[in-house]
Amino acid sequence: MTTLTTPQTAERGLSFSRAVSIVAKREIMVRLRSKAFIISTIIFLAAVLASAVIGTQAGSLFQSTTTVAATADAAGAVSALEGYEVTEVGTEDEVRDLILDGTVEAGVVGSGTEGFTVIGERSAPEGLIQALSITPQVELLDPHAPNPFLTYFIGLGFGLVFFMSAMTYGNTIAQSVVEEKQTRIVEILLATIPARALLAGKVIGNSLLAFAQIALVALMVIGAGAATGSSLLLDGLGIPLLWFVALFTVGFVMIAALYAATASLVSRVEDLASATSPIMMLVMIPYVLVIVFNNNPTALAVMSYVPFSAPVAVPMRVFLGTTTVWESLLALGVLVVATVIALRVAALIYDRSLLRTGKRVKVAEVLRSGT
């Protein structure tokens, strides 16, 4: 619950900017003094860091090594393959003996000119057979195309960070608004500061906390890339991360304002979930669609111009290389315009419904009323 206890609020001549800064500071201090907020933030950042490190090391963590015995002519060919530990012996009989006594899993004899023979006890490793077989020439049309599996998890990561941050801070703002209405503290607040200053302070305070969290996420991902030497995190995700931070900064302000305005329509905490569910769906549906269509250029292109999905769709397009700078800037411009419109509508709703108590107020009724 947000309260103003500073002496400055008692002054009738309190400027709008001063009122906004007081409310914003109070919102920030209340969150920073909350053990639940601190613990949840630490857990969230730890999960992001662990995901970044594990993601870069996944190949080495789960890569198995096959032990192979080989004669001198075959040892060089097997040693050139990844994932095989080679023991060089002198004769084919020694290769067979090592397989039978369990020292190695397979054996290779022969030469590159005469052909190789893969030896196993009950079966031979399919990967080794394929690696030593004669394979046709391969032509890759796009050798640098992103791995679909990796693309899915990057889309999931962007979407999850945006979704969790929007939901966490959005619900925090909504809870604060309803508690102030339910305890009638809002009536005291509005006697000293305008409703729009109260709204702006709440949005700015919580937005700054959300921005700081996202900036920490970006720094941790880049730091994990530097520590592990991952070209994916340093090069592949560097520019997409910057676009994500920029779009998140604008998009979150829009979502925060809508949560505050929606919460002002109800007077009881029990009614908050149903009131804010439309906003939650506006955030959740694009999040799911971006993950489902993470490798579909057309779908991502459309979603990059939808305000609620742009913060995830645009970075994904940048990562996939399916967009240009001007398209990304246009998507950011669309989001900025949508945010300005949302702020105006949210301020109108918040101003006209904050002192209304009792049953839930309908949006249409608020917009039609002049007070």
Side-chain angles (χ1 to χ4, degrees), residues 313-326:
V314 172
M316 283 301 301
R317 294 187 70 199
V318 174
F319 172 74
L320 294 171
T322 58
T323 186
T324 59
V325 174
W326 74 264

Side-chain angles (χ1 to χ4, degrees), residues 69 78 91 130 139-141 152 179 206 231 270 275-276 283 288 320 325 329 360 370:
V78 180
T91 64
Q130 294 175 7
E139 179 184 355
L140 299 178
L141 299 177
Y152 171 80
E179 285 179 354
N206 285 277
S231 59
E270 294 81 359
T276 57
V283 177
V288 173
L320 294 171
V325 174
L329 289 173
R360 177 179 172 181

Side-chain angles (χ1 to χ4, degrees), residues 171-322:
N171 283 318
T172 297
I173 294 172
Q175 186 83 13
S176 173
V177 172
V178 175
E179 285 179 354
E180 288 173 356
K181 286 191 67 174
Q182 192 168 6
T183 56
R184 313 299 286 260
I185 290 178
V186 70
E187 297 176 10
I188 301 174
L189 298 176
L190 293 180
T192 55
I193 61 174
R196 298 196 179 199
L198 184 59
L199 172 64
K202 287 181 178 296
V203 171
I204 291 173
N206 285 277
S207 295
L208 288 175
L209 289 173
F211 302 159
Q213 188 179 77
I214 293 301
L216 282 175
V217 168
L219 289 174
M220 291 175 70
V221 171
I222 294 173
T228 59
S230 170
S231 59
L232 169 64
L233 296 182
L234 291 175
D235 301 327
L237 281 180
I239 301 302
L241 270 175
L242 294 177
W243 277 106
F244 177 73
V245 172
L247 288 151
F248 176 88
T249 300
V250 179
F252 180 82
V253 171
M254 174 183 65
I255 293 171
L258 291 176
Y259 261 103
T262 305
S264 69
L265 298 172
V266 298
S267 303
R268 302 187 308 161
V269 175
E270 294 81 359
D271 299 329
L272 187 58
S274 60
T276 57
S277 59
I279 309 300
M280 183 183 69
M281 295 303 295
L282 287 174
V283 177
M284 180 181 292
I285 292 175
Y287 156 71
V288 173
L289 291 177
V290 168
I291 294 174
V292 172
F293 297 105
N294 66 87
N295 209 15
N296 187 317
T298 302
L300 287 177
V302 172
M303 286 186 285
S304 64
Y305 300 108
V306 177
F308 291 94
S309 57
V312 180
V314 172
M316 283 301 301
R317 294 187 70 199
V318 174
F319 172 74
L320 294 171
T322 58

Side-chain angles (χ1 to χ4, degrees), residues 97-175:
D97 291 340
L98 291 176
I99 295 173
L100 291 173
D101 65 19
T103 304
V104 298
E105 300 173 58
V108 179
V109 298
S111 64
T113 56
E114 299 176 357
F116 297 108
T117 300
V118 179
I119 304 172
E121 186 174 8
R122 294 183 181 84
S123 62
E126 290 294 332
L128 183 59
I129 295 173
Q130 294 175 7
L132 295 174
S133 300
I134 299 175
T135 58
Q137 292 184 349
V138 177
E139 179 184 355
L140 299 178
L141 299 177
D142 188 2
H144 302 294
N147 186 307
F149 187 71
L150 179 63
T151 300
Y152 171 80
F153 276 99
I154 289 176
L156 179 64
F158 278 133
L160 192 59
V161 170
F162 178 73
F163 177 72
M164 291 298 293
S165 297
M167 294 295 295
T168 300
Y169 289 99
N171 283 318
T172 297
I173 294 172
Q175 186 83 13

